[in-house]
């Protein structure tokens, strides 16, 4: 029911900080990029927490940054939806079906740009992917490469499958 609300599309933003709160005055006038989890990126102005953005170099191409954010957001959402799902394949001859079974847990990633980029060991060890085996199918695609990067930075053991044309 959107009767009293207006939804504005767009999850990736690249722009300049126009106003700040008292604790983030150093960001005023800086070029930044961010992901908006609920849309709004096509608006003229957005309000976002300082910890959810990254400062960009002045010469960074806005279109390239937005494309990078879109690719990594797709990969991030894919990993986020898979976190906690463990597929167990029963051995042949078991009484139960050979079809994979899923088990789920409630652990998930924190939604923020800082969760996407960087190699911070303390965050890595708290990641639900830390020490887990992750298989990435289609690893030669742009989203596949982003999946590899994110899973490795989360501390996962990454295994990949790709078509020979992309290797």
């Amino acid at each position: 029911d959107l009767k009293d609300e207006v939804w504005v599309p767009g999850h990736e933003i690249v722009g300049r900080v126009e106003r700040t709160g008292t604790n983030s005055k150093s960001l005023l006038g800086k070029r930044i990029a961010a992901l908006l989890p609920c849309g709004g990126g096509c608006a003229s102005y957005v309000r976002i927490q300082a910890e959810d953005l990254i400062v960009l170099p002045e010469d960074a191409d806005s279109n390239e940054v937005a494309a990078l954010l879109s690719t990594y957001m797709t990969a991030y959402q894919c990993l986020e939806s898979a976190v906690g799902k463990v597929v167990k394949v029963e051995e042949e001859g078991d009484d139960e079906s050979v079809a994979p079974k899923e088990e789920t847990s409630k652990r998930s990633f924190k939604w923020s740009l800082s969760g996407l980029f960087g190699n911070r060991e303390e965050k890595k060890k708290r990641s639900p992917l830390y020490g887990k085996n992750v298989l990435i199918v289609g690893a030669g695609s742009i989203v596949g490469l982003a999946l590899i990067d994110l899973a490795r930075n989360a501390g996962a053991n990454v295994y990949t499958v790709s078509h020979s044309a992309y290797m």
Side-chain angles (χ1 to χ4, degrees), residues 12-79:
E12 307 85 9
I13 62 167
V14 177
R16 203 166 287 282
V17 176
E18 295 287 328
R19 289 191 339 198
T20 68
T22 56
N23 294 332
S24 54
K25 295 284 185 194
S26 64
L27 294 173
L28 193 60
K30 301 274 186 183
R31 280 193 78 225
I32 58 95
L35 291 172
L36 305 175
C38 298
C42 292
S44 297
Y45 295 93
V46 298
R47 182 177 179 182
I48 189 167
Q49 298 293 320
E51 63 266 9
D52 293 334
L53 57 84
I54 57 171
V55 177
L56 297 174
E58 287 296 322
D59 61 347
D61 182 89
S62 296
N63 291 329
E64 290 178 3
V65 171
L68 180 69
L69 289 175
S70 179
T71 301
Y72 271 78
M73 184 170 121
T74 301
Y76 185 83
Q77 288 175 328
C78 179
L79 283 176

Side-chain angles (χ1 to χ4, degrees), residues 76 79-80 82-84 105-110 114-116 118-134 147-158:
Y76 185 83
L79 283 176
E80 184 179 43
V83 165
S105 77
K106 294 184 179 180
R107 293 183 72 183
S108 68
F109 288 133
K110 178 188 180 297
S114 62
L116 286 178
N119 188 5
R120 298 185 178 109
E121 288 299 318
E122 68 280 354
K123 283 188 175 185
K124 185 184 282 190
K125 288 182 180 171
R126 289 192 311 240
S127 167
L129 289 178
Y130 184 77
K132 301 283 193 242
N133 295 325
V134 175
L147 283 165
I148 292 168
D149 189 31
L150 293 176
R152 279 187 180 159
N153 279 323
N157 303 311
V158 178

